[in-house]
């Protein structure tokens, strides 16, 4: 039963990758409680790409492998860091910056809680 749930979960994630054409990863935990109920918890999801548009605290458009840039909204608390973990100001993120975003899917929205600059723009 757990293998079937995991297979469906990973197949769904794979279809999402193909549909969006973006580099994403997610961590899913499946646990069976003492009453036999199965609980699934999805944690961090990430995408990597190039910033095409950025309004701090509001929205970020990221060019991934998809045809069109992907739109991300910002959560109430967003952390901006360098790849080595140093916290930076949002103003350091510019158009053409290479970044990795951590986000949660809320309905149709992808809500960012962390932006990591992986490479400064040239």
């Amino acid at each position: 039963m757990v293998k079937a749930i995991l297979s469906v979960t990973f197949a769904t994630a794979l279809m999402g990758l193909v549909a969006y054409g973006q580099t994403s990863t997610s961590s899913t935990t499946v646990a069976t409680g003492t009453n036999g109920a199965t609980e699934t918890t999805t944690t961090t999801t990430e995408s990597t790409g190039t910033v095409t548009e950025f309004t701090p605290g509001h929205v970020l458009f990221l060019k991934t492998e998809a045809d069109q840039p992907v739109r991300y909204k910002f959560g109430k608390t967003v952390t901006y860091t360098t790849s080595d973990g140093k916290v930076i100001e949002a103003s350091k993120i510019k158009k053409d910056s290479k970044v990795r975003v951590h986000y949660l899917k809320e309905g149709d929205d992808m809500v960012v809680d962390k932006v990591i600059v992986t490479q400064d723009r040239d």
Side-chain angles (χ1 to χ4, degrees), residues 11-53:
T12 303
L14 182 60
M15 286 187 296
L17 286 174
V18 172
Y20 285 106
Q22 61 186 341
T23 304
S24 298
T25 59
S26 64
S27 174
T28 304
T29 304
V30 178
T32 304
T34 56
N35 63 356
T38 302
E39 298 177 12
T40 303
T41 305
T42 300
T43 53
T44 305
T45 303
E46 298 181 338
S47 279
T48 303
T50 303
V51 175
T52 60
E53 186 179 328

Side-chain angles (χ1 to χ4, degrees), residues 25-97:
T25 59
S26 64
S27 174
T28 304
T29 304
V30 178
T32 304
T34 56
N35 63 356
T38 302
E39 298 177 12
T40 303
T41 305
T42 300
T43 53
T44 305
T45 303
E46 298 181 338
S47 279
T48 303
T50 303
V51 175
T52 60
E53 186 179 328
F54 176 60
T55 305
H58 183 64
V59 69
L60 173 115
F61 285 87
L62 195 63
K63 177 68 177 151
T64 62
E65 295 172 2
D67 290 335
Q68 298 295 320
V70 179
R71 180 180 189 269
Y72 296 89
K73 293 174 80 173
F74 285 91
K76 293 180 183 186
T77 305
V78 179
T79 305
Y80 302 92
T81 68
T82 60
S83 58
D84 61 359
K86 181 182 173 191
V87 176
I88 59 173
E89 295 293 321
S91 61
K92 299 287 185 185
I93 312 273
K94 306 287 186 201
K95 183 177 180 181
D96 297 328
S97 293

